[in-house]
Amino acid sequence: MGQRDNDKWRIAVVGPMHPYRGGIAHFTEMTVEALVERGHEVRPVSFSRQYPELLFPGKSQYEPDDDASPVVQGAPRLLDTLNPLSWGRTALRLREQAPDAVLFQYWMPFFAPAYGTVARLLRWAGIPSYAVVHNALPHERHVGDAWLSRFFLRACEGHVVMSDAVAADLRPLRRPDAALQQIEHPVYERFGDPAPRAEARAALDLPSEAPVLLFFGFVREYKGLHVLLEALPDVLEALPSLHLVVAGEPYDNPERYRRLIRDNDLGGRVHWHDEYVPSERVPTYFGAADLVVQPYVSATQSGVAQIATHFETPMIVTDVGGLAESVPHEEVGFVVPPEDPGALAGAVARFFQDDWRDRLTDGMRARRHRHHPDRLVDAVERLVAQTQME
């Protein structure tokens, strides 16, 4: 095991990072950056293969640009989720680095066999493993999910969670003696400032003064885009000039959503950019939006909520999982019941008609400052220090 120097640790971080795309990759990179800024010696380790191409629901697993954070440039891509030989090689490489701790990013049972094997091999060598648990169980569940998650999570000495919902899912899957730290989801700071409103709307071909809603992120049934589209006719009765921007690649059959758009004659008001949004374009979408809508049918937590917090854009979310924890009602947004188009439409109309924008933006600004990535580093440090003392 590595040596501690004035409370600075040698920490290996295992998870997807550039060139892999998406919220978990961004979170892994943020984790590495925050640990480095705190003065820790960080060794990032990524995947040589994350998903087999046939099982990946999107068009590509990779970022369309080369804008990698300097702290992860050159990170070894060792772990192949489908090749058990790579699991042993990854554990051996990590042992050679002699870290004080190994921190895994965990969000899906698919990764549990590889992660669990590596963590057990490290444990036998006296190296403790920890996990930032984004989801203890997946949104769309299958037989065996709990068993797989338990296989990995019980190999860890401690866990970090970011919502009550994930903590509840984790409780029966972890060892009773494992340490637990719960924090609020850190805000992503990688995206910079929002684009100026006029510039952003011109880039997206939107009217300069119309109310604009944003549904952001990949499209899957549990994210509830269908509920928002069902609510939109009632919204347009109250706000005839409103436009909806959907910015995200479909991960299920898009025909359901396109049919709702056709059947409700919404073609002139729904702008679907049905592709992955690279990092440099994210400020444009949030700069153009008045309000972010997350009408999830089920959830644990949401990285999109943290992007919206970074850009200080108010939100409407449904009361599922940990979303209401991220978006306190009437403080930074509105919380409505899930799968209720009428309630959703009413909340959108209330936001614009009753002039809630400034109040909720002020709340967002205050909340943004409370969600700095330092909270994550504090939690990791507490877990490692506790293990070192035992």
Side-chain angles (χ1 to χ4, degrees):
M1 184 176 293
Q3 297 298 312
R4 183 172 66 166
D5 180 17
N6 296 324
D7 295 326
K8 302 306 178 188
W9 310 94
R10 184 179 298 127
I11 302 175
V13 177
V14 179
M17 54 197 81
H18 192 89
Y20 293 106
R21 74 184 200 183
I24 303 297
H26 294 163
F27 192 100
T28 306
E29 293 171 19
M30 177 179 66
T31 302
V32 173
E33 290 172 341
L35 288 167
V36 169
E37 288 176 4
R38 186 66 65 85
H40 297 289
E41 182 182 341
V42 184
R43 307 291 176 87
V45 173
S46 189
F47 292 93
S48 59
R49 176 167 52 180
Q50 184 178 212
Y51 300 102
E53 294 293 341
L54 289 176
L55 296 182
F56 185 72
K59 298 174 184 176
S60 172
Q61 300 182 46
Y62 304 104
E63 287 278 2
D65 58 59
D66 294 322
D67 186 23
S69 170
V71 298
V72 301
Q73 287 179 357
R77 297 178 60 187
L78 302 177
L79 194 60
D80 182 338
T81 53
L82 299 184
N83 183 355
L85 292 177
S86 81
W87 309 348
R89 288 194 294 266
T90 300
L92 181 61
R93 175 73 72 88
L94 289 168
R95 282 186 59 182
E96 291 171 348
Q97 294 176 352
D100 296 293
V102 178
L103 182 67
F104 292 84
Q105 304 286 340
Y106 184 71
W107 71 104
M108 191 180 297
F110 176 78
F111 300 95
Y115 275 12
T117 300
V118 173
R120 280 170 165 75
L121 291 172
L122 293 171
R123 193 179 189 195
W124 294 337
I127 299 172
S129 294
Y130 305 90
V132 177
V133 183
H134 300 263
N135 297 309
L137 292 169
H139 300 289
E140 299 161 327
R141 301 191 180 174
H142 306 88
V143 174
D145 284 340
W147 186 91
L148 287 168
S149 288
R150 191 178 293 114
F151 174 71
F152 166 59
L153 294 169
R154 291 198 174 183
C156 296
E157 306 304 316
H159 310 89
V160 179
V161 297
M162 294 171 285
S163 73
D164 290 339
V166 174
D169 286 344
L170 173 63
R171 198 165 291 117
L173 304 175
R174 59 196 284 266
R175 298 201 322 264
D177 64 330
L180 180 66
Q181 293 287 323
Q182 182 167 340
I183 61 170
E184 294 183 334
H185 196 303
V187 171
Y188 293 107
E189 298 183 331
R190 63 179 288 127
F191 301 111
D193 296 326
R197 176 186 170 113
E199 175 185 315
R201 292 197 170 189
L204 298 178
D205 196 24
L206 295 168
S208 59
E209 299 302 325
V212 173
L213 306 181
L214 175 63
F215 177 101
F216 188 85
F218 67 81
V219 177
R220 210 162 194 166
E221 183 164 352
Y222 76 83
K223 293 202 169 188
L225 176 59
H226 60 285
V227 181
L228 178 53
L229 293 174
E230 289 166 0
L232 205 57
D234 287 343
V235 174
L236 288 170
E237 281 192 20
L239 302 162
S241 63
L242 180 137
H243 289 252
L244 166 64
V245 176
V246 179
E249 181 182 348
Y251 275 21
D252 57 13
N253 187 347
E255 181 53 32
R256 174 185 187 181
Y257 311 107
R258 300 196 188 285
R259 185 170 60 251
L260 283 169
I261 292 170
R262 290 194 303 270
D263 291 350
N264 290 296
D265 195 25
L266 301 173
R269 295 308 174 88
V270 178
H271 311 260
W272 189 354
H273 301 247
D274 57 349
E275 59 186 4
Y276 176 76
V277 179
S279 295
E280 69 270 12
R281 290 177 55 199
V282 173
T284 297
Y285 286 96
F286 283 84
D290 297 298
L291 183 64
V292 174
V293 182
Q294 294 188 270
Y296 284 28
V297 173
S298 65
T300 49
Q301 58 204 16
S302 169
V304 174
Q306 307 314 316
I307 300 174
T309 301
H310 168 72
F311 287 115
E312 300 175 1
T313 308
M315 288 179 279
I316 294 177
V317 302
T318 46
D319 191 8
V320 295
L323 292 186
E325 297 173 52
S326 298
V327 185
H329 185 59
E330 297 184 353
E331 179 183 325
V332 300
F334 296 147
V335 180
V336 299
E339 300 188 82
D340 189 336
L344 181 58
V348 172
R350 182 186 178 206
F351 173 82
F352 289 103
Q353 292 177 336
D354 295 347
D355 297 322
W356 277 87
R357 180 183 178 119
D358 289 344
R359 280 176 281 179
L360 298 182
T361 300
D362 288 344
M364 272 290 192
R365 187 169 299 117
R367 191 166 181 81
R368 176 185 177 185
H369 293 302
R370 299 197 300 268
H371 284 238
H372 194 274
D374 278 350
R375 305 289 195 277
L376 173 61
V377 178
D378 292 341
V380 172
E381 288 178 339
R382 287 192 292 267
L383 290 178
V384 177
Q386 179 175 333
T387 300
Q388 291 285 326
M389 290 186 296
E390 292 175 352

